[in-house]
Amino acid sequence: NQLAGLHRTDGVVLLALQTLAGSGDLSRDLAANLLETIELEPGTPLLRSDLPEAGPRLQDILDLSQPFEVEVRDGFDYWMSPDEELTPEIKEELEDLADSLIDTVKLDTVDSAYWCRMGAKEFLRWSMPYDEDAVINGIARLHAKRESSIDGSKFLGAFRSCGIVIPVWELVRGTEAEDISAPAAEFWKSLKAAIENTEPLDSNERRARAGIISRQITLR
């Protein structure tokens, strides 16, 4: 996505998280894009091709005392201001983009976990805003004991996106979001305890960790 930001005609500022270029410091990149987008005239997109110079990072310019709430949308109509007139061409383009989306539902029983359907399979993607090593070690502890499954699911591995590690489970075929909500909440009790465990890994746990690490990928 080459569009780094958008200042909508109604004054709302949108910031893209996954773009093609970066300095290696995602927080700095996002802060630079946000500050520049705010200064744009309403109705103007930010197309960034150069890298930002040294400056504040995202946590330096946001009010971290405010709650962070995630809202999952099933289309891209939020790109447009409510008062903007949509031409048939724009409507068709937005509909085509919406058709390409992965069906995603945010679980309401735990933080940052998302049920997804890709093709004929269902998955649970669980964003972990915790230290990556602690998360991987925690899952390795459970995996070594064959306790990394959630209600019959299969733990596949993890990927990184925007600096966050995201473990993934393949769910039992046909599982809906409401089916996995309660089991995920119950599983979190074990996972949280494993993440907070600071004891050194034993040999079986180290082997499990090595397997998890070998399957990790990073999405940019």
Side-chain angles (χ1 to χ4, degrees), residues 91-107:
K91 286 182 179 180
E92 182 177 359
E93 183 176 356
L94 291 176
E95 290 171 358
D96 289 342
L97 288 170
D99 289 340
S100 69
L101 288 173
I102 296 172
D103 291 339
T104 302
V105 177
K106 185 178 184 298
L107 302 191

Side-chain angles (χ1 to χ4, degrees), residues 76-148:
F76 293 93
D77 55 304
Y78 63 87
W79 285 358
M80 314 297 294
S81 301
D83 58 351
E84 284 188 88
E85 182 178 353
L86 300 183
T87 65
E89 292 77 15
I90 293 178
K91 286 182 179 180
E92 182 177 359
E93 183 176 356
L94 291 176
E95 290 171 358
D96 289 342
L97 288 170
D99 289 340
S100 69
L101 288 173
I102 296 172
D103 291 339
T104 302
V105 177
K106 185 178 184 298
L107 302 191
D108 56 9
T109 55
V110 291
D111 292 336
S112 309
Y114 300 84
W115 169 95
C116 307
R117 174 170 284 134
M118 303 175 65
K121 296 182 178 181
E122 293 79 28
F123 301 88
L124 180 67
R125 294 175 169 180
W126 202 331
S127 301
M128 295 285 173
Y130 304 99
D131 178 78
E132 180 177 333
D133 284 339
V135 172
I136 298 302
N137 286 349
I139 295 177
R141 295 181 194 279
L142 298 181
H143 200 59
K145 297 186 294 183
R146 298 186 178 182
E147 296 178 1
S148 60

Side-chain angles (χ1 to χ4, degrees), residues 3-206:
L3 192 66
L6 174 65
H7 196 151
R8 284 192 338 199
T9 57
D10 60 353
V12 171
V13 172
L14 304 179
L15 181 66
L17 294 183
Q18 292 182 332
T19 54
L20 297 181
S23 67
D25 184 346
L26 178 63
S27 183
R28 169 58 191 147
D29 296 342
L30 292 176
N33 291 344
L34 177 58
L35 292 173
E36 191 168 337
T37 303
I38 290 173
E39 295 301 319
L40 294 175
E41 291 293 326
T44 307
L46 175 65
L47 300 173
R48 177 175 291 284
S49 58
D50 57 332
L51 298 180
E53 298 177 353
R57 307 177 79 232
L58 194 59
Q59 58 266 44
D60 299 324
I61 64 175
L62 296 180
D63 183 354
L64 301 182
S65 67
Q66 296 300 308
F68 178 75
E69 299 179 3
V70 175
E71 180 180 349
V72 178
R73 301 290 187 96
D74 56 7
F76 293 93
D77 55 304
Y78 63 87
W79 285 358
M80 314 297 294
S81 301
D83 58 351
E84 284 188 88
E85 182 178 353
L86 300 183
T87 65
E89 292 77 15
I90 293 178
K91 286 182 179 180
E92 182 177 359
E93 183 176 356
L94 291 176
E95 290 171 358
D96 289 342
L97 288 170
D99 289 340
S100 69
L101 288 173
I102 296 172
D103 291 339
T104 302
V105 177
K106 185 178 184 298
L107 302 191
D108 56 9
T109 55
V110 291
D111 292 336
S112 309
Y114 300 84
W115 169 95
C116 307
R117 174 170 284 134
M118 303 175 65
K121 296 182 178 181
E122 293 79 28
F123 301 88
L124 180 67
R125 294 175 169 180
W126 202 331
S127 301
M128 295 285 173
Y130 304 99
D131 178 78
E132 180 177 333
D133 284 339
V135 172
I136 298 302
N137 286 349
I139 295 177
R141 295 181 194 279
L142 298 181
H143 200 59
K145 297 186 294 183
R146 298 186 178 182
E147 296 178 1
S148 60
S149 173
I150 306 176
D151 197 31
S153 65
K154 178 183 178 182
F155 173 68
L156 297 181
F159 66 94
R160 299 184 194 90
S161 181
C162 298
I164 296 175
V165 63
I166 305 173
V168 180
W169 287 261
E170 182 178 345
L171 304 176
V172 175
R173 191 70 60 87
T175 298
E176 300 293 340
E178 58 268 24
D179 300 327
I180 199 64
S181 292
E186 185 64 26
F187 178 76
W188 173 239
K189 299 175 184 178
S190 300
L191 180 56
K192 183 174 185 292
I195 291 174
E196 294 176 350
N197 186 345
T198 58
E199 292 295 320
L201 299 179
D202 63 27
S203 59
N204 288 332
E205 292 167 345
R206 288 196 299 271

